[in-house]
Amino acid sequence: MKKLTKKSSLILYGCAGLGVNMLNLIVGSYLCSAMLVGGFQTHVESWTYLNTDLVVAGLWSVLILLAKVVDGLIDLPLSHFVDNLQTKWGKRKTAIVIGYVPMILAYMLFLIPLNPTATIANTVWFGFLLLMFYTAYTLTMITYYATFAEVTEDQKGIVLLSHTKSICDVAYFSLGYALVPAFVSMGMNIRNVAMLFLPMSLTMLIPILLLKEKDGQHAALQEKVQRPTFRKSLMFTLRDKPYLYWLCTLFVMNIGLQLFLSGINEYFSTTGLNMTFIMASCFVPVPFTILIYNKVMKKYGLAVAYRYILAVYSLGMGLMGLCRFIPQGLLYPFAIFCSLIVSFSIGSFFSVTYTVPSQCAAARKEDSETASSMYFAIQGLFEGASAGVASGLILVFLKQNGYISWMTVIVAVVCMAAFFMSCFLPKTISMIGKDKVEAV
């Protein structure tokens, strides 16, 4: 694989997933909800396809759950497929195309109901397309992530790529949760909004244009290359003990992050605060706050930088827990202040999840059986499981028992647990990103 040595090329490469991630957010957060009119109080005709139910609610909930389960489980076999694909055009570019085309097709077809009313046929149709979309999306993105360790020359390249990707994550979060509702409130139907964002998916053409693979010179077809089995690829990654400890720390941290992202709307609905201002305060400063995280990492290494963002995040979340005690006149300034504190950490959380698996894979690239995409696949399993604990267990418990006002305090406690776990990160991970200074 030819390396990308210019900063401009790495920054451009880090923007490749922006559009595809945006489509995934629209499908999961808006289009699935648009199948049923229940829960919408205003602009129902815009939030739904045809201002009526289009699916059978009970069956639809089962199919969504099935699609999510398959989405989590399919990471491992797809990563094995990606790492062992051999074509004359190159395995990475080919795998991206194999995933990208059906993903776009499924996205567009998802906007077309078979019937104008709730029927079994409609429900099965949308369930099939949802499964198709998630599978193709996973193949596309897991291939893209696998190239992070392959297109960079050193840790600095991986860190720059990870930071760029995390800023793009903040961008599509901001667009998805601020711009989409704005269009809908102006009377634009959610299907038209979805089509409006479709051209953003063309950002995934960036790796297809920039990747220069040796496989493209027919090397893979001219030689008989022994492909590692799925079990060997899986065990290769699972034998990386430092990485496994990182995954345990990540699991705990991600419970806090996902609890915030999935439950913050419910939390602030009890305070009467406008979520637009709160989310803007959390996400808009991220391109600047991530520079501080980068400086800390360069000076002390990833472990210290990671503890820094965990401490800041816990502080911001803990202070948010006081919102219900603040007088109404001071509530907005105080909530925005808390959100600004959170902004010093939230973008860096995204960055670190790209940096660590990329660097762990790069550190073992001398082994011919290294499966770089398997690192992201296994991390995806841990992130999915922790997200399920956050939104499926903790958040539901808090809502059903009237404890939602304690949500941010619980987030702070969970993230402080991750803080103490990070004190024992192995040196191979804790020193990632630190500038090497020769002893005088």
Side-chain angles (χ1 to χ4, degrees):
M1 180 80 71
K2 185 178 179 180
K3 306 297 183 182
L4 300 179
T5 56
K6 296 181 179 180
K7 285 187 177 181
S8 57
S9 297
L10 286 172
I11 292 173
L12 180 62
Y13 197 84
C15 297
L18 175 62
V20 174
N21 285 143
M22 186 65 186
L23 299 192
N24 182 56
L25 184 150
I26 290 175
V27 169
S29 297
Y30 298 114
L31 297 186
C32 286
S33 296
M35 300 293 111
L36 298 165
V37 297
F40 294 110
Q41 300 297 322
T42 58
H43 303 291
V44 181
E45 68 284 352
S46 297
W47 278 118
T48 59
Y49 283 15
L50 301 173
N51 199 19
T52 186
D53 289 349
L54 292 176
V55 294
V56 179
L59 179 59
W60 180 233
S61 64
V62 172
L63 291 178
I64 290 179
L65 176 60
L66 177 62
K68 288 288 187 180
V69 170
V70 172
D71 183 39
L73 295 177
I74 206 170
D75 284 28
L76 297 180
L78 285 182
S79 68
H80 179 68
F81 166 77
V82 168
D83 282 325
N84 293 278
L85 180 64
Q86 294 182 4
T87 75
K88 63 180 181 181
W89 300 285
K91 64 180 180 180
R92 301 307 190 197
K93 288 193 290 187
T94 302
I96 288 175
V97 172
I98 292 174
Y100 179 79
V101 173
M103 177 188 65
I104 298 302
L105 180 61
Y107 183 84
M108 292 189 295
L109 290 176
F110 203 84
L111 304 176
I112 305 173
L114 297 181
N115 298 289
T117 57
T119 62
I120 296 294
N122 260 356
T123 311
V124 174
W125 166 249
F126 285 121
F128 167 75
L129 291 175
L130 190 63
L131 183 61
M132 177 179 171
F133 176 85
Y134 281 147
T135 301
Y137 168 81
T138 298
L139 176 58
T140 303
M141 294 307 295
I142 208 169
T143 306
Y144 169 60
Y145 293 146
T147 62
F148 280 27
E150 300 169 350
V151 300
T152 51
E153 289 187 310
D154 49 30
Q155 287 187 13
K156 290 184 178 179
I158 291 177
V159 171
L160 176 60
L161 197 54
S162 300
H163 286 348
T164 304
K165 181 64 175 70
S166 65
I167 291 174
C168 288
D169 287 347
V170 172
Y172 85 79
F173 264 95
S174 301
L175 290 173
Y177 292 116
L179 201 54
V180 172
F183 283 136
V184 171
S185 65
M186 291 187 293
M188 184 178 292
N189 188 270
I190 189 62
R191 286 197 288 178
N192 296 328
V193 175
M195 287 300 298
L196 184 66
F197 284 98
L198 180 59
M200 286 184 63
S201 66
L202 293 176
T203 57
M204 191 44 68
L205 296 180
I206 294 173
I208 295 177
L209 297 175
L210 292 184
L211 287 178
K212 305 296 181 182
E213 301 182 78
K214 293 180 180 179
D215 286 352
Q217 301 172 358
H218 299 261
L221 297 181
Q222 294 173 356
E223 300 178 11
K224 289 186 177 180
V225 181
Q226 183 179 2
R227 303 181 186 183
T229 64
F230 173 77
R231 181 179 180 278
K232 285 185 177 180
S233 297
L234 179 62
M235 294 309 298
F236 178 82
T237 308
L238 293 179
R239 284 196 296 266
D240 192 337
K241 293 182 179 179
Y243 184 62
L244 291 181
Y245 186 80
W246 154 254
L247 291 176
C248 294
T249 306
L250 174 69
F251 181 89
V252 176
M253 178 277 287
N254 200 52
I255 291 176
L257 180 61
Q258 293 301 321
L259 187 57
F260 167 71
L261 293 176
S262 60
I264 197 68
N265 189 41
E266 286 91 338
Y267 174 78
F268 279 105
S269 68
T270 64
T271 64
L273 290 167
N274 187 306
M275 279 302 302
T276 300
F277 295 107
I278 303 304
M279 297 303 286
S281 301
C282 285
F283 289 116
V284 171
V286 166
F288 305 99
T289 58
I290 203 170
L291 295 176
I292 300 175
Y293 163 79
N294 192 41
K295 288 184 178 180
V296 175
M297 183 166 59
K298 283 185 175 181
K299 187 172 183 179
Y300 301 105
L302 182 137
V304 174
Y306 190 47
R307 288 195 288 273
Y308 151 71
I309 61 176
L310 283 168
V312 170
Y313 187 69
S314 298
L315 175 62
M317 288 287 105
L319 289 175
M320 275 190 184
L322 301 176
C323 281
R324 60 186 185 276
F325 303 115
I326 302 299
Q328 192 64 34
L330 299 175
L331 184 56
Y332 263 106
F334 181 77
I336 291 176
F337 171 72
C338 295
S339 300
L340 289 174
I341 294 177
V342 170
S343 73
F344 280 83
S345 59
I346 196 164
S348 303
F349 280 138
F350 295 127
S351 178
V352 74
T353 58
Y354 304 124
T355 302
V356 175
S358 297
Q359 182 56 35
C360 287
R364 305 180 75 188
K365 64 184 177 183
E366 69 280 356
D367 193 311
S368 62
E369 293 186 354
T370 297
S372 55
S373 63
M374 189 65 78
Y375 278 87
F376 282 98
I378 294 177
Q379 178 170 284
L381 283 178
F382 275 73
E383 289 178 318
S386 58
V389 171
S391 59
L393 296 180
I394 299 177
L395 183 59
V396 171
F397 173 82
L398 295 178
K399 292 171 66 174
Q400 288 183 330
N401 293 276
Y403 298 139
I404 197 68
S405 60
W406 288 93
M407 188 197 73
T408 56
V409 176
I410 295 173
V411 170
V413 171
V414 169
C415 287
M416 284 309 299
F419 175 94
F420 289 112
M421 291 178 66
S422 68
C423 294
F424 303 97
L425 281 171
K427 189 175 182 180
T428 53
I429 293 179
S430 63
M431 291 294 104
I432 289 176
K434 183 178 181 181
D435 285 341
K436 294 182 180 179
V437 180
E438 295 182 0
V440 179

